Amino acid sequence: MSIKVGVVGAGSVGSTLGGMALKGGNSVKYASRDPSSDKIKELLSSQAGTSADTTPNVVSWADVIILATPGAYEDEGITKLAESLGDVTGKVIIDVTNPLSAFPGLEVRWKQGTSGAEVLQAALPNAIIYKAFNTLGVENMSHGDGSGFAGWTGGQLSMMYAGGPEKNDQVATLIKAMGWIPAYVGPIRYARNLEAIAELWIHLGVPPAGTTSVFWGRNFVFEPIGASIPE
Ligand SMILES: NC(=O)c1ccc[n+]([C@@H]2O[C@H](COP(=O)([O-])OP(=O)(O)OC[C@H]3O[C@@H](n4cnc5c(N)ncnc54)[C@H](OP(=O)(O)O)[C@@H]3O)[C@@H](O)[C@H]2O)c1
């Protein structure tokens, strides 16, 4: 069944995931603070069938919202972003953001003890929040077939997702359409672990570790073996 996918944050991650979500006959609309900007016009002309509108309008139209805005480290920033979405009752939100501290630390929210996704869920109790696609670099997001990872010959890869579980089937359908094997890891509590994986690949991919870590760099994917058998 086709899914109406709203993408909030039409930057490098949002536009990549929006383009991937078009597969499988889904519809995609981008939410932007300036839907008529040249940047948005260029994006829409490169992805036939997409359109753009204000955030509340896109959220109201969408079944599933991909949240790809800059990550907020503090609860306050996450709550403010949540408020900007408008009425999210019954909506599925796939949170791709990484709530990291500023460079050069780039640490996840160890001090707060919760994930950004849990703070988002608490701020939006009427929405169903999931965490996915935050565990790898944007340049690898469209390589669920395994082609982007040097030395990997195992074929299609798994995308871990946490949240729900009420909308697991819909999220799995979208992840499959986007070229990955959906690998459910548990309720939103486990977004803590997915955000920690993001901290790890970012640590391996940026200086100083990124300059010495020849093996990993940003070439990082976490493959749960049990999930690599397609249903
Ligand atoms: N880059 C990666 O490799 C990667 C990988 C995994 C996860 N992530 C996470 O994905 C998120 C996006 O990263 P990115 O690299 O795509 O960043 P980006 O290129 O800077 O894009 C962020 C987009 O969000 C928009 N935006 C900012 N505030 C907004 C708001 N309040 N409402 C709607 N749109 C808003 C910006 O639009 P304007 O400023 O033009 O309005 C911009 O287009 C971040 O949380 C990041 O941690 C990134």
Side-chain angles (χ1 to χ4, degrees):
M1 201 177 68
S2 125
I3 301 171
K4 290 192 272 185
V5 181
V7 180
V8 179
S12 56
V13 169
S15 59
T16 300
L17 294 179
M20 291 158 61
L22 279 170
K23 293 173 190 163
N26 301 314
S27 327
V28 173
K29 273 192 192 186
Y30 289 99
S32 171
R33 292 182 289 185
D34 183 4
S36 57
S37 70
D38 288 346
K39 191 182 86 169
I40 295 293
K41 279 184 196 148
E42 197 180 320
L43 170 61
L44 302 184
S45 68
S46 70
Q47 295 183 357
T50 57
S51 58
D53 206 331
T54 60
T55 298
N57 285 349
V58 169
V59 167
S60 157
W61 165 86
D63 305 315
V64 175
I65 294 133
I66 294 177
L67 188 62
T69 51
Y73 182 75
E74 303 291 350
D75 290 14
E76 195 186 357
I78 298 170
T79 308
K80 205 170 155 195
L81 177 66
E83 282 165 5
S84 76
L85 298 178
D87 182 7
V88 294
T89 306
K91 306 287 180 180
V92 171
I93 300 178
I94 300 180
D95 175 19
V96 185
T97 68
N98 278 320
L100 299 169
S101 61
F103 185 83
L106 297 178
E107 289 185 2
V108 286
R109 315 172 79 249
W110 302 112
K111 286 179 196 147
Q112 288 93 324
T114 55
S115 60
E118 288 168 277
V119 176
L120 190 66
Q121 180 67 83
L124 300 173
N126 297 329
I128 306 115
I129 311 291
Y130 285 85
K131 191 102 207 174
F133 287 104
N134 69 307
T135 52
L136 76 176
V138 63
E139 71 278 30
N140 294 323
M141 288 180 182
S142 55
H143 291 150
D145 62 358
S147 63
F149 302 90
W152 174 252
T153 55
Q156 200 182 10
L157 293 161
S158 306
M159 177 53 63
M160 292 184 287
Y161 67 110
E166 9 346 8
K167 294 287 185 174
N168 284 11
D169 288 351
Q170 189 175 42
V171 175
T173 299
L174 184 58
I175 291 174
K176 272 187 202 168
M178 293 164 85
W180 294 80
I181 299 167
Y184 184 62
V185 298
I188 201 63
R189 148 77 178 83
Y190 293 93
R192 294 178 201 179
N193 304 74
L194 299 186
E195 290 177 6
I197 289 173
E199 183 191 70
L200 181 60
W201 77 254
I202 292 165
H203 160 68
L204 294 169
V206 300
T211 52
T212 52
S213 173
V214 176
F215 180 70
W216 289 103
R218 283 176 67 107
N219 189 26
F220 183 95
V221 71
F222 192 95
E223 173 66 359
I225 290 169
S228 32
I229 303 158
E231 289 165 27

